[in-house]
Amino acid sequence: MATDAPRTHAGRVALVTGGGRGIGAAVAAELATRGARVAVLDTDAGLAAEAARACGGHAERCDVADRAAVDRACAAVEAALGPVDILVNNAGISPKRDGKPVPIWEMDGAEWDAVVAVNLTGCFNMARRLTPGMVARKRGWIVNMASVSGRVWTPLVSGHYTATKTALVGLTRHWAGELGPHGVRVNAVAPGRILTPLAKLTAPETNQAIVAATPLGRAGEPEEVARAVCFLSGPDAEFVTGAILDVSGGWMMS
Ligand SMILES: NC(=O)c1ccc[n+]([C@@H]2O[C@H](COP(=O)([O-])OP(=O)(O)OC[C@H]3O[C@@H](n4cnc5c(N)ncnc54)[C@H](O)[C@@H]3O)[C@@H](O)[C@H]2O)c1
């Protein structure tokens, strides 16, 4: 862990869902580097423990789609670290079939329900549990992990993913409006193609086509998304709420 990073997040407790690997693990590490005390939640207990160990944080196994499990995990985090100041709603899934999106006429109802439960209702479950404390303390930062697919159509994902990420963009604005008067800032990051295990579910030729359509000519690294999350949850963004920050190398414009 770098030790010369500015301690912008000292005194803040952060909780990262889906923090066991990929973007979430990078966010947890970057927040810890900047002085936050970090909790990692993940359905995979081993990944959560490993990511938490790497950043000196606290791990909880938790499926964000399971409301009772969310309540239990948040209580455990509060007992271990204190009240949560920063919620990073990062957990998300994007099922593919042979590396390709599934069209509506072949979509399985159970798969639709699962994606909505994790990507959208999971964010609600977390925010519903943690915002009462934030409002009472008049202090909080929420960062939702949206996607370029929540802003424009992309051939990369299925309709369930597009629907949930688009909803998250709307929900970010809604919560920003509701929570702003109570001292809680709510923003979203919209990543483009980022090199994580999730991205590897997509066919290589599709990933190559995305890079070709990306003005900066490459895919992004999880750490580049993590730095955007730190900006939005740190002291340099005190007057920022309801923003959707693209971290896509310009792919968003294509
Ligand atoms: N990688 C990209 O190109 C990309 C682009 C845009 C948006 N995103 C978004 O970024 C977020 C992270 O993506 P990633 O690429 O790091 O994915 P990833 O699959 O590499 O990691 C996701 C982590 O979330 C965990 N997880 C999955 N379902 C969960 C649940 N129900 N409860 C708790 N944890 C759960 C997984 O175990 C895993 O550790 C997602 O919301 C994704 O939609 C990713």
Side-chain angles (χ1 to χ4, degrees):
M1 194 186 299
T3 51
D4 54 353
R7 307 266 305 163
T8 45
H9 289 63
R12 297 183 189 192
V13 172
L15 186 161
V16 184
T17 68
R21 73 177 190 195
I23 292 171
V27 169
E30 191 68 30
L31 285 165
T33 297
R34 293 174 190 229
R37 280 173 295 144
V38 177
V40 173
L41 268 57
D42 205 290
T43 41
D44 187 318
L47 287 178
E50 202 178 309
R53 203 166 30 244
C55 69
H58 177 89
E60 289 291 331
R61 199 201 92 75
C62 176
D63 177 353
V64 295
D66 178 343
R67 205 159 290 154
V70 163
D71 290 348
R72 279 195 301 275
C74 289
V77 169
E78 287 165 344
L81 302 180
V84 174
D85 303 302
I86 299 170
L87 165 63
V88 184
N89 271 323
N90 166 77
I93 55 175
S94 184
K96 304 274 183 346
R97 196 177 298 158
D98 300 324
K100 298 203 168 61
V102 181
I104 179 60
W105 60 92
E106 291 175 13
M107 178 62 69
D108 174 55
E111 184 178 300
W112 174 275
D113 290 346
V115 173
V116 172
V118 176
N119 293 10
L120 181 58
T121 309
C123 298
F124 163 78
N125 291 340
M126 294 301 306
R128 176 67 192 85
R129 172 60 180 75
L130 293 174
T131 49
M134 292 178 178
V135 167
R137 294 187 301 279
K138 286 201 150 295
R139 170 185 164 90
W141 295 263
I142 298 175
V143 182
N144 294 322
M145 200 55 69
S147 169
V148 163
S149 305
R151 314 201 76 195
V152 294
W153 178 76
T154 73
L156 174 64
V157 297
S158 306
H160 45 33
Y161 188 84
T162 301
T164 55
K165 294 299 183 180
T166 305
L168 211 45
V169 167
L171 208 46
T172 298
R173 294 190 182 119
H174 188 89
W175 287 346
E178 276 182 348
L179 289 162
H182 299 279
V184 180
R185 294 158 188 77
V186 186
N187 294 289
V189 176
R193 184 77 304 181
I194 307 297
L195 294 171
T196 69
L198 181 139
K200 290 186 186 127
L201 295 176
T202 297
E205 57 272 21
T206 309
N207 281 331
Q208 282 154 17
I210 294 166
V211 168
T214 298
L216 291 184
R218 64 173 176 85
E221 300 290 339
E223 291 72 20
E224 293 178 301
V225 181
R227 287 194 283 274
V229 172
C230 285
F231 166 69
L232 291 171
S233 60
D236 292 334
E238 286 294 282
F239 200 51
V240 182
T241 197
I244 316 298
L245 179 54
D246 291 301
V247 183
S248 70
W251 181 41
M252 164 65 195
M253 301 182 296
S254 301

